[in-house]
Amino acid sequence: MIRNAVKQDAAGIAKVHVDCWRTTYKGLMPDSLLDNLSYEQRQEQWENGIGTPQQILFVAEDENQEIVGFACGSKRESAKEPHAGDLMAIYVLEEHQGKGFGKELTAQIFNRLHELGCQTVYVEVLAENKSKFFYESLGAKLYQEEQMSIMGEDLDVLIYQWKSYDHLLL
C-alpha cells in the first residue's frame, strides 16, 4: 500500500532511511559516515519535515502495515526553471526491492508534481549507485554529471531528467 506520509510515520521512515543508506551506499561512501547514522537523528529530521507544504512524501507499507519504503519530491521554486520538480529521495528496504514499491512510489510523486504543473523532473544519483538503472528503466535520461563532497571525499553524481513522464502517471 502506498499512502501520504503523516508525522506518526517519522520513526518508520527514519529506519528505512538509515537502513537503506547502509546497504545502498556501502563501499560508495565512507564507512565512518554510514556507521554514524542515527535512527533518532533521522527521526527528528523527518518529524520536522513531514507536513511542510513544499515537500511531497509518500510511504510504502507491507502486508503487516510496516513502512518498507518512502519517496519524497518537491517543485522547484527557482525562477530559473519554474516548471520543474525533483524526485529527491526514494528508498525501499533491500528485502522489499523488486516488488513494485519503487515504481508505485515514483508514480505517486510524479502525479503530485504533475498536479503542481511540473513539466520536467530531475533526480540525482551517485554515479556508482545501481539505482541509476531503475531511473533509466523509467525513462530518465542523463542530463548532467557533477561532483559533490561528502566528508572530504569527492563523489561523482549523475543528474537524470524526465522531459516527459506521462507514461509514469497513474
Side-chain angles (χ1 to χ4, degrees):
M1 177 177 148
I2 308 296
R3 62 172 175 78
N4 284 303
V6 295
K7 286 218 184 264
Q8 294 81 356
D9 294 327
I13 294 170
K15 182 178 183 333
V16 169
H17 201 172
V18 169
D19 290 352
C20 285
W21 266 61
R22 289 181 175 153
T23 57
T24 303
Y25 300 123
K26 182 133 184 85
L28 302 179
M29 290 190 175
D31 287 342
S32 58
L33 180 129
L34 299 176
D35 292 341
N36 288 321
L37 293 174
S38 155
Y39 293 129
E40 295 78 19
Q41 182 182 27
R42 291 291 172 152
Q43 180 176 341
E44 185 178 326
Q45 289 172 344
W46 283 109
E47 284 172 348
N48 293 330
I50 293 174
T52 58
Q54 64 274 19
Q55 185 179 67
I56 303 164
L57 180 61
F58 289 93
V59 294
E61 293 180 329
D62 66 8
E63 60 279 354
N64 300 316
Q65 297 180 323
E66 297 289 325
I67 294 174
V68 298
F70 72 92
C72 63
S74 69
K75 181 177 180 180
R76 289 189 173 185
E77 297 300 330
S78 72
K80 186 176 177 183
E81 196 168 358
H83 301 291
D86 291 292
L87 175 59
M88 296 172 359
I90 179 167
Y91 293 106
V92 176
L93 293 173
E94 196 170 56
E95 60 271 21
H96 291 281
Q97 293 176 7
K99 298 178 180 179
F101 288 118
K103 190 171 182 178
E104 283 290 317
L105 286 164
T106 303
Q108 292 293 343
I109 296 292
F110 278 51
N111 279 351
R112 190 68 54 84
L113 290 172
H114 181 72
E115 290 169 7
L116 294 172
C118 296
Q119 298 167 358
T120 305
V121 178
Y122 296 91
V123 66
E124 296 179 3
V125 62
L126 291 179
E128 295 181 34
N129 185 341
K130 63 184 178 182
S131 297
K132 65 185 174 188
F133 301 117
F134 171 74
Y135 302 125
E136 290 172 3
S137 76
L138 296 179
K141 303 292 183 206
L142 183 61
Y143 171 72
Q144 188 174 327
E145 296 181 45
E146 292 183 353
Q147 277 200 329
M148 68 182 210
S149 182
I150 296 180
M151 294 183 68
E153 253 187 75
D154 290 331
L155 301 170
D156 293 323
V157 175
L158 305 176
I159 301 171
Y160 283 89
Q161 78 173 181
W162 287 269
K163 288 296 263 181
S164 171
Y165 55 87
D166 289 349
H167 63 288
L168 297 173
L169 298 176
L170 297 174

